[in-house]
Amino acid sequence: MNPLEPKEFRRQGHMIIDFLADYYQSITNYPVLSQVEPGYLRKLTPSFAPLNPEPIEAILQDLQQHIIPGITHWQSPNYFAYFPSSGSTAGFVGEMLSTGFNLVGFNWVSSPAATELENTVMDWLGQVLKLPKTFLFSGSGGGVLLGTTCEAILVTLVAARDKILSQIGIENIGKLVVYVSDQTHCAIQKAAHIVGIHSKNFRVINTMKSTSFALMPEPLLSAIHTDVQNGLVPCYLCVTVGTTSTTAIDPLGLLCKVANKYGMWVHVDAAYAGSVCICPEFRHLIDGVEGATSFSFNAHKWFLTNLDCCCLWVKDQASVINSLSTHSVYLENNASDLKQVVDYKDWQITLSRRFRALKVWLVLRSYGVANLRDFLRSHVEMAKNFEELVRKDKRFEIFVPRNVAVVCFRLLPSAVAKIGNGRVQDGHVTTEDVANEINRKLLDSINGSGTVYMTHATVGGVFVIRCAIGATLTEKTHVIMAWKVVQEHADAILNH
Amino acid sequence: MNPLEPKEFRRQGHMIIDFLADYYQSITNYPVLSQVEPGYLRKLTPSFAPLNPEPIEAILQDLQQHIIPGITHWQSPNYFAYFPSSGSTAGFVGEMLSTGFNLVGFNWVSSPAATELENTVMDWLGQVLKLPKTFLFSGSGGGVLLGTTCEAILVTLVAARDKILSQIGIENIGKLVVYVSDQTHCAIQKAAHIVGIHSKNFRVINTMKSTSFALMPEPLLSAIHTDVQNGLVPCYLCVTVGTTSTTAIDPLGLLCKVANKYGMWVHVDAAYAGSVCICPEFRHLIDGVEGATSFSFNAHKWFLTNLDCCCLWVKDQASVINSLSTHSVYLENNASDLKQVVDYKDWQITLSRRFRALKVWLVLRSYGVANLRDFLRSHVEMAKNFEELVRKDKRFEIFVPRNVAVVCFRLLPSAVAKIGNGRVQDGHVTTEDVANEINRKLLDSINGSGTVYMTHATVGGVFVIRCAIGATLTEKTHVIMAWKVVQEHADAILNH
């Protein structure tokens, strides 16, 4: 047995390439959202691992028959759920190379190219985003490739926590306050819990529809005031550029001004919308980033860099390294001792790390910045198109102004009034309750059809349907078809 | 531009398969340890990302000319450094499929097969390791695939912390104590820092050469006693099966007995040696695991499952979920609401997660448990062989008994006495100092040759060279050659 025998590697590798190319070609034949029931696979798989080898052909057959029916097809052109998970040939090829080399780049010496290429692509990306020099290696900062935004937030929150605790003493951890809006991703609440921020000091500032669910500086300032008066210590603010529910854009510049007055760490979570900021006409979304302490976006969301790939930049390397560096005798080496190199193990939670820089390098070079801009613009155009279609149907409303390529819409209460009329008149429910109920039913009906997949948000008590455009294979025809599907299901429900 | 156009995907995919197969075929032509200098790549890469697309052929040429010289070849048969990073065709194919589907399996509904196949393979692996039923889904526990052991430790440490703090109050976090040995991996110190354990409560128990650097129950018990008397609260014990320096095996059963008396969480870190416990003759290494709270091993180290893949089992799902679950409206779904399914986002630090179960499934099915056992045994046999070769050369010693497939050896002080004689007689240094210096020089000389790559450990003040056998392509001839290289470099240094 030689599990890396080149001939067999070649045979199976080519087979899988063809399998995946066929998959992309036939992807619209599958229901986008898997229609299986919980526990479906248990009945199809043996209870014990096989003692003897099985041929790849048999495994692929099971993959086709048993696994694929349980897969939700995030690469389908009819996938409009959550945010996109943006795959590409370049991203795939980069992952193949990384998996093939299978090196562990925890520090420079363990594979110098892994570290140095990461330094390079992080500066490239930072420049393309027009991040201030203070965030780049060529300036005074630097960037790192992590798995997900959750890691970026945990890394920066630990650094922020330690920076303040080094001044006020670790026994005062109960005084640290973290600020978010009610639209901020739950990752930050989880990270705050992990690092020991008291839950009573996790300050959630309410947003409003009238300001498009963005975090406003005034209520933030007022919350900070109260906390400071109560002897608490403001520690960390998470500003979001493109929230998960409605892609709200927090006003970065104004919020940084408030936070900077109190010496807080400001992290900019641009997980989704960061990608589109490579287009000059969208760069304003992160205006004011020079006032932030750290910035991250997910290249795996909308930058053609297959999962997982979160890009994090920090102004102050030292604050992260002080918190996260470790020393082990077995990792000692001259380059590290002489401080000539970046050792990325000290920039992240884990020690081992994959060679993610390859896929970012492949994506930037294979497509080029100009094409990448145009590609993202095409998604925004499709979203505009979808938005116009929604507007033309008077039964629907666009719930919040579209910022990028996500459209939040719903059937209007007036359109569904007839259905719940009896209950509303009885005083059991409001017209808004009925609208929520019917829009949920509409979404379930759409997704149950398998033709498209969209997801929901509930903001300000209102259930809205989200159409997130950005799957790599999506074209204008898919978007038009998606709207037709929505209309047909709405017809069926309303005329029932 | 269609970045997932099947024809181009096929063309590039096939090209990369051939590139990697050629790479494996010619891998011994490269120096194992990269010989580049810090900053080498900056001179070779443009300062800005390209505006326009470049053909894959040009990128591959740069890869060959600029990147590969900076790569340390972890897949080389002459790689004996750190621990292996064990690649295989099955592991690679599993990653290809996962990257190709590019789905985000944060909860069940986002792709049911991803969750359910993970449930299946974790039970398969648990059975193969003969873990007690209490760790399996088919019993009362369950398993999850994470990236690295660092994550497994962070997950379990947060759960352990919260379990106790729920009884004594979060304000008493400064009383929690974490216990490790001086051979435990630094991951646990980092995790303890992240979750807010006070550094003065990070208890490092010394080990001794006479007990092969294993953590002994007596000093642990005595440390706990003292802590309890001082009003502190024992929280978490990390037991290692196969330490990084010398693959020491902590006596699991005895240590659990001590820890259980005090209601502590016991995590078993079998990152390296866990794999070989699938062989009946090595299963005794984890005897006593029934007394532990959680158990993890890295399938990417020595189980042919390309980076990254850490397998974690816990007895008490609820304790992990209580600490790490999040609630977001946008992730609400019927299956989760009805608690019919596992939502792995609540078992880990991050939200997004790759479909790692595929590669574990591929490895288990492609090779079968019987062949996997034999393959691991073959590495142990090669290590035995290397050990015998070392023993035959009277200039060298085996520093600690070999437990699995890592051999720790060094030039004896008596063999190098001549070199440092003057300084020793002057009283400037001891013979042990000289031995450390010369062994370090020997290792640098070996690695500088590029023919093999080994790394070092310093244990009990002694610098030893580690020969870790387990790279997939390593055969007996490579091991014999490696020993020849060591001898030649030793000859050169000693006869200089």
Side-chain angles (χ1 to χ4, degrees):
Chain A
M1 168 171 159
N2 174 0
L4 271 181
E5 197 278 305
K7 209 172 140 194
E8 184 61 13
F9 177 89
R10 223 180 278 268
R11 189 180 80 88
Q12 293 195 25
H14 287 310
M15 194 184 292
I16 302 301
I17 291 296
D18 287 330
F19 179 92
L20 286 171
D22 292 346
Y23 170 70
Y24 294 135
Q25 256 164 330
S26 60
I27 197 166
T28 51
N29 296 342
Y30 303 108
V32 191
L33 173 66
S34 169
Q35 308 285 319
V36 299
E37 294 294 318
Y40 89 100
L41 192 60
R42 205 175 310 132
K43 302 161 205 151
L44 302 171
T45 41
S47 308
F48 297 94
L51 193 63
N52 296 309
E54 300 179 65
I56 184 71
E57 290 78 4
I59 301 172
L60 282 184
Q61 202 177 344
D62 284 351
L63 185 76
Q64 191 72 59
Q65 286 178 4
H66 301 155
I67 306 298
I68 287 190
I71 282 180
T72 292
H73 301 279
W74 288 62
Q75 301 312 298
S76 166
N78 301 316
Y79 176 93
F80 303 102
Y82 309 109
F83 282 131
S85 169
S86 172
S88 70
T89 299
F92 181 84
V93 158
E95 269 293 341
M96 279 174 86
L97 289 168
S98 164
T99 306
F101 293 134
N102 205 29
L103 57 85
V104 189
F106 35 65
N107 58 6
W108 180 86
V109 78
S110 73
S111 219
T115 296
E116 298 203 11
L117 192 64
E118 190 160 327
N119 297 165
T120 296
V121 298
M122 290 309 289
D123 264 19
W124 282 6
L125 272 178
Q127 288 158 350
V128 173
L129 286 165
K130 296 205 183 305
L131 292 184
K133 270 265 184 189
T134 45
F135 284 98
L136 307 185
F137 286 111
S138 53
S140 49
V144 58
L145 293 171
L146 305 172
T148 72
T149 300
C150 299
E151 288 168 64
I153 285 175
L154 188 51
V155 162
T156 52
L157 186 53
V158 172
R161 178 198 70 181
D162 290 350
K163 216 170 163 179
I164 295 189
L165 289 184
S166 72
Q167 296 154 17
I168 66 172
I170 189 172
E171 68 281 6
N172 287 309
I173 192 169
K175 292 186 178 168
L176 302 186
V177 188
V178 168
Y179 300 85
V180 299
S181 89
D182 57 8
Q183 298 300 307
T184 307
H185 196 274
C186 63
I188 168 78
Q189 188 169 9
K190 186 158 170 172
H193 177 74
I194 290 171
V195 307
I197 303 292
H198 290 197
S199 58
K200 66 178 172 49
N201 292 346
F202 187 73
R203 204 67 69 235
V204 181
I205 316 281
N206 286 333
T207 60
M208 288 177 307
K209 195 183 173 196
S210 59
T211 41
S212 296
F213 301 104
L215 173 58
M216 289 291 110
E218 298 78 12
L220 172 69
L221 184 63
S222 135
I224 296 175
H225 261 310
T226 310
D227 287 331
V228 172
Q229 278 175 351
N230 290 333
L232 299 178
V233 182
C235 170
Y236 187 96
L237 166 68
C238 183
V239 177
T240 310
V241 177
T243 59
T244 309
S245 288
T246 64
T247 66
I249 311 288
D250 294 342
L252 188 43
L254 296 173
L255 294 168
C256 284
K257 255 188 212 159
V258 172
N260 290 343
K261 235 185 283 179
Y262 292 89
M264 291 164 72
W265 187 295
V266 182
H267 179 72
V268 182
D269 169 12
Y272 162 67
S275 298
V276 83
C277 297
I278 69 166
C279 303
E281 70 271 29
F282 287 105
R283 173 55 176 74
H284 69 92
L285 297 180
I286 55 169
D287 276 359
V289 66
E290 59 279 2
T293 325
S294 51
F295 175 90
S296 66
F297 89 97
N298 286 347
H300 63 243
K301 271 201 168 62
W302 195 22
F303 206 73
L304 300 172
T305 311
N306 298 46
L307 194 67
D308 50 5
C309 192
C310 172
C311 309
L312 167 67
W313 289 267
V314 292
K315 270 183 183 168
D316 180 16
Q317 292 182 24
S319 60
V320 169
I321 295 170
N322 286 346
S323 281
L324 295 175
S325 72
T326 50
H327 176 256
S328 297
V329 169
Y330 80 99
L331 295 176
E332 280 175 358
N333 66 90
N334 287 336
S336 297
D337 290 349
L338 297 171
K339 297 191 187 298
Q340 297 174 315
V341 293
V342 171
D343 285 333
Y344 273 124
K345 72 180 177 62
D346 299 335
W347 294 56
Q348 61 178 28
I349 302 301
T350 64
L351 175 65
S352 293
R353 62 200 317 272
R354 287 155 55 236
F355 191 176
R356 291 194 185 95
L358 275 174
K359 59 183 172 182
V360 178
W361 187 63
L362 260 292
V363 164
L364 285 168
R365 295 192 60 181
S366 294
Y367 303 123
V369 173
N371 278 355
L372 287 165
R373 285 185 183 130
D374 285 344
F375 195 65
L376 298 174
R377 283 171 182 139
S378 77
H379 293 139
V380 177
E381 281 309 307
M382 286 185 243
K384 263 189 205 166
N385 196 234
F386 187 87
E387 189 185 25
E388 281 159 22
L389 292 170
V390 177
R391 280 196 203 284
K392 276 187 199 151
D393 188 329
K394 295 301 165 203
R395 299 172 299 176
F396 287 86
E397 71 165 343
I398 298 293
F399 185 67
V400 281
R402 179 192 49 77
N403 283 316
V404 197
V406 174
V407 181
C408 294
F409 66 101
R410 64 163 182 162
L411 276 169
L412 280 163
S414 58
V416 303
K418 207 178 63 186
I419 298 175
N421 223 6
R423 283 181 300 153
V424 173
Q425 283 173 348
D426 294 351
H428 292 310
V429 291
T430 67
T431 50
E432 281 294 337
D433 291 336
V434 176
N436 286 351
E437 188 184 308
I438 299 300
N439 277 292
R440 188 184 292 271
K441 203 170 155 186
L442 172 59
L443 182 60
D444 284 347
S445 171
I446 293 166
N447 291 338
S449 76
T451 46
V452 299
Y453 181 28
M454 296 181 190
T455 50
H456 70 282
T458 302
V459 265
V462 175
F463 183 97
V464 297
I465 302 177
R466 291 166 79 264
C467 177
I469 290 159
T472 307
L473 293 168
T474 301
E475 295 177 17
K476 199 174 162 183
T477 50
H478 300 106
V479 172
I480 292 170
M481 190 278 288
W483 174 243
K484 250 192 203 151
V485 170
V486 173
Q487 281 185 312
E488 282 165 16
H489 286 265
D491 290 346
I493 287 172
L494 294 178
N495 303 329
H496 184 66
Chain B
M1 168 172 161
N2 173 359
L4 271 180
E5 197 278 306
K7 209 173 140 192
E8 184 61 14
F9 176 89
R10 222 181 279 267
R11 190 180 79 88
Q12 292 196 26
H14 287 311
M15 195 184 293
I16 301 301
I17 290 295
D18 286 332
F19 178 93
L20 285 171
D22 292 346
Y23 169 71
Y24 294 134
Q25 254 163 331
S26 61
I27 197 166
T28 51
N29 296 343
Y30 303 108
V32 191
L33 173 65
S34 169
Q35 307 286 318
V36 300
E37 293 294 318
Y40 90 99
L41 192 60
R42 207 175 309 133
K43 303 160 204 151
L44 301 171
T45 41
S47 308
F48 297 95
L51 193 64
N52 295 309
E54 299 178 65
I56 185 73
E57 290 79 5
I59 301 172
L60 281 184
Q61 203 177 340
D62 285 352
L63 185 76
Q64 191 72 58
Q65 285 177 6
H66 301 155
I67 305 298
I68 288 190
I71 282 180
T72 292
H73 301 279
W74 289 63
Q75 300 313 297
S76 166
N78 301 316
Y79 176 93
F80 304 101
Y82 309 108
F83 281 131
S85 168
S86 172
S88 70
T89 298
F92 180 84
V93 158
E95 269 293 339
M96 279 174 87
L97 290 168
S98 164
T99 306
F101 293 134
N102 205 30
L103 57 84
V104 189
F106 35 65
N107 57 7
W108 179 86
V109 78
S110 73
S111 219
T115 295
E116 297 202 11
L117 191 65
E118 191 161 327
N119 297 164
T120 297
V121 297
M122 290 309 289
D123 263 20
W124 281 8
L125 272 178
Q127 287 158 350
V128 173
L129 285 165
K130 297 205 183 305
L131 292 185
K133 270 265 185 189
T134 45
F135 284 98
L136 306 185
F137 287 111
S138 53
S140 49
V144 58
L145 293 171
L146 304 173
T148 72
T149 300
C150 298
E151 288 167 64
I153 285 175
L154 189 51
V155 162
T156 52
L157 186 52
V158 173
R161 178 198 71 182
D162 291 349
K163 214 169 163 179
I164 295 189
L165 289 184
S166 73
Q167 296 155 16
I168 65 172
I170 189 173
E171 68 280 8
N172 288 310
I173 190 170
K175 292 186 179 169
L176 302 186
V177 188
V178 168
Y179 299 86
V180 300
S181 89
D182 57 8
Q183 299 300 308
T184 307
H185 196 274
C186 63
I188 166 81
Q189 188 169 9
K190 187 158 169 172
H193 177 74
I194 290 170
V195 307
I197 302 292
H198 291 199
S199 58
K200 65 178 173 50
N201 293 346
F202 187 73
R203 204 67 69 236
V204 180
I205 316 283
N206 287 333
T207 61
M208 289 178 306
K209 194 181 173 195
S210 60
T211 41
S212 295
F213 301 104
L215 173 59
M216 289 290 111
E218 298 78 12
L220 172 67
L221 184 62
S222 135
I224 296 175
H225 261 310
T226 310
D227 287 332
V228 171
Q229 278 174 351
N230 290 332
L232 299 177
V233 182
C235 171
Y236 187 96
L237 166 68
C238 183
V239 177
T240 311
V241 177
T243 60
T244 310
S245 289
T246 64
T247 66
I249 310 288
D250 294 340
L252 189 43
L254 296 174
L255 294 168
C256 285
K257 253 189 212 158
V258 172
N260 289 343
K261 235 186 282 177
Y262 292 89
M264 291 164 71
W265 186 295
V266 182
H267 179 70
V268 182
D269 170 11
Y272 163 66
S275 298
V276 83
C277 298
I278 69 166
C279 303
E281 70 272 30
F282 288 105
R283 173 54 177 75
H284 69 92
L285 297 180
I286 55 169
D287 276 0
V289 65
E290 59 280 2
T293 325
S294 51
F295 174 90
S296 66
F297 89 98
N298 286 347
H300 63 243
K301 271 203 167 62
W302 196 21
F303 205 73
L304 300 172
T305 311
N306 298 45
L307 194 67
D308 49 4
C309 193
C310 173
C311 309
L312 168 67
W313 289 267
V314 292
K315 270 184 183 167
D316 180 17
Q317 292 182 23
S319 60
V320 169
I321 295 170
N322 286 345
S323 279
L324 295 175
S325 72
T326 51
H327 176 256
S328 296
V329 170
Y330 81 99
L331 295 176
E332 280 175 358
N333 66 89
N334 288 336
S336 297
D337 291 348
L338 297 172
K339 296 191 186 300
Q340 296 174 316
V341 292
V342 171
D343 285 333
Y344 273 124
K345 72 180 178 61
D346 299 334
W347 293 55
Q348 60 178 28
I349 302 301
T350 65
L351 175 65
S352 293
R353 62 200 318 272
R354 287 154 56 234
F355 191 176
R356 292 194 185 93
L358 274 175
K359 58 183 172 182
V360 179
W361 188 62
L362 259 293
V363 165
L364 285 168
R365 293 191 61 182
S366 293
Y367 303 123
V369 173
N371 278 355
L372 287 165
R373 285 185 183 131
D374 285 345
F375 195 65
L376 298 174
R377 283 170 182 142
S378 77
H379 293 140
V380 177
E381 281 309 307
M382 286 185 241
K384 263 189 205 165
N385 195 235
F386 187 88
E387 187 185 27
E388 281 158 21
L389 292 170
V390 177
R391 280 196 203 283
K392 275 187 199 151
D393 187 328
K394 295 301 165 204
R395 301 171 299 176
F396 288 85
E397 72 165 343
I398 298 292
F399 185 68
V400 281
R402 181 192 49 75
N403 283 317
V404 196
V406 174
V407 180
C408 294
F409 65 99
R410 65 163 182 162
L411 276 169
L412 280 164
S414 56
V416 303
K418 208 178 62 185
I419 298 175
N421 223 6
R423 283 179 300 153
V424 173
Q425 282 174 348
D426 294 350
H428 293 310
V429 292
T430 67
T431 51
E432 280 294 338
D433 292 336
V434 176
N436 285 351
E437 190 184 307
I438 300 300
N439 277 292
R440 189 185 291 269
K441 204 170 154 184
L442 172 60
L443 182 60
D444 284 346
S445 171
I446 293 166
N447 291 339
S449 76
T451 45
V452 299
Y453 181 27
M454 296 181 188
T455 50
H456 70 281
T458 302
V459 265
V462 175
F463 183 98
V464 297
I465 302 177
R466 291 166 79 264
C467 178
I469 290 160
T472 307
L473 293 167
T474 301
E475 295 178 16
K476 199 174 163 184
T477 51
H478 301 106
V479 173
I480 293 170
M481 191 279 289
W483 175 242
K484 253 194 199 145
V485 171
V486 173
Q487 281 185 312
E488 282 166 14
H489 286 264
D491 289 347
I493 287 171
L494 295 178
N495 303 330
H496 182 65

